[in-house]
Amino acid sequence: MVRTPCCDKSGLKKGTWTPEEDHKLVAYITRYGCWNWRRLPKYAGLMRCGKSCRLRWMNYLRPNIKRGNYSKEEEDTIIKLHASLGNRWSAIAAQLPGRTDNEIKNYWHTNLKKRLIKQKTASHEANFISNGLSQRETSQNRSVVHPIASQILESYPFSPQPSSSTETSSSTTDSSAAGGNSSNCASYDCSSLASMETVAELSGNFWTEPFFADNYYIPNDSMAPMVDPEILFHPPLSGELLYSDGFYNGHEGLRYW
DNA sequence: AAGATAGGCAACCGCCACAGT
DNA sequence: GACTGTGGCGGTTGCCTATCT
């Protein structure tokens, strides 16, 4: 079967998101919810792949996302969960409200993995020094030296037992239950948009513009369009929701809706 | 001060699972 | 059952910035 590309590659923007693009995405999802990621960029006025929009929303723009400043507890949790779950970052993220799988993954690779390797090496060296003299005689124990590396390799990334399908499905369930990382933005993200202060913190002044006060009205039926979104949403967006020339007015600052 | 290098992280890519037709 | 569309995940890439020489 030929896989359908996630989007038409031609003419789509890639790379770092601009504040304007963020703004458009947040505005659209806030107002209408994410009823279909692939079509969303078109209606939101974004020249982006739907996947890209989803990723941006899930990893950066979503409300209640914590960024940086991992607490000791969080670090311990990540290490512990990684030991038992392996590289199932989404499952790990489900246990850490406000953290995204991508961020945890990055944090693991940039911080925790190195630290763990260091610790294991250090602790093993300590063990070796204290025990080595009595053990060094046997060839068996010579191999103890090498398990340092193997221990590390075992813990990362292949150490966990292959997860059962139940685990996989439960992780999805956990994800929803945890509330912080539900993949269903229609049920989670949009209902939590009331607390947009969190988002406002994310991007500095941009997010503190009056836009939020006036535009984060969440209609009760924002989860999904009640009628065909093609009909419902397309026309207003060009005129009502989004400005074709962007939404920043040089004289007035951010425009209001 | 300028270039080289390393590290961090946002974003992309490809695959998979699942639901709907 | 086959096919299609969509969402989600993990691995990887590449840009940006900080640090080093």
Side-chain angles (χ1 to χ4, degrees), chain A residues 40 42 90 99 107 135 145 149 209 225 234:
Chain A
L40 185 148
K42 177 183 166 189
S90 61
R99 300 293 186 186
Y107 191 66
Q135 295 179 342
V145 175
E209 292 294 329
H234 196 5

Side-chain angles (χ1 to χ4, degrees), chain A residues 160-257:
Chain A
Q161 322 74 337
S163 57
S164 68
S165 57
T166 30
E167 279 173 348
T168 305
S169 60
S170 73
S171 76
T172 310
T173 312
D174 289 348
S175 174
S176 305
N181 291 283
S182 168
S183 56
N184 185 353
C185 74
S187 63
Y188 164 70
D189 297 310
C190 303
S191 63
S192 359
L193 282 167
S195 56
M196 291 305 286
E197 304 88 340
T198 311
V199 181
E201 292 168 9
L202 296 177
S203 304
N205 291 340
F206 171 74
W207 296 110
T208 61
E209 292 294 329
F211 168 82
F212 279 90
D214 287 343
N215 294 286
Y216 281 97
Y217 160 68
I218 315 297
N220 289 336
D221 60 349
S222 67
M223 303 314 168
M226 298 304 289
V227 299
D228 183 2
E230 301 250 9
I231 299 168
L232 178 62
F233 292 131
H234 196 5
L237 285 173
S238 54
E240 180 191 312
L241 178 60
L242 297 172
Y243 291 85
S244 58
D245 59 341
F247 41 83
Y248 186 82
N249 179 314
H251 297 295
E252 301 167 11
L254 290 169
R255 291 171 121 159
Y256 299 85
W257 289 300

Side-chain angles (χ1 to χ4, degrees), chain A residues 77-88 92 155 159-163 167:
Chain A
T77 304
I78 293 170
I79 291 168
K80 196 171 66 183
L81 289 173
H82 185 268
S84 62
L85 298 172
N87 292 356
R88 292 169 58 198
I92 294 172
S155 72
S159 61
Q161 322 74 337
S163 57
E167 279 173 348

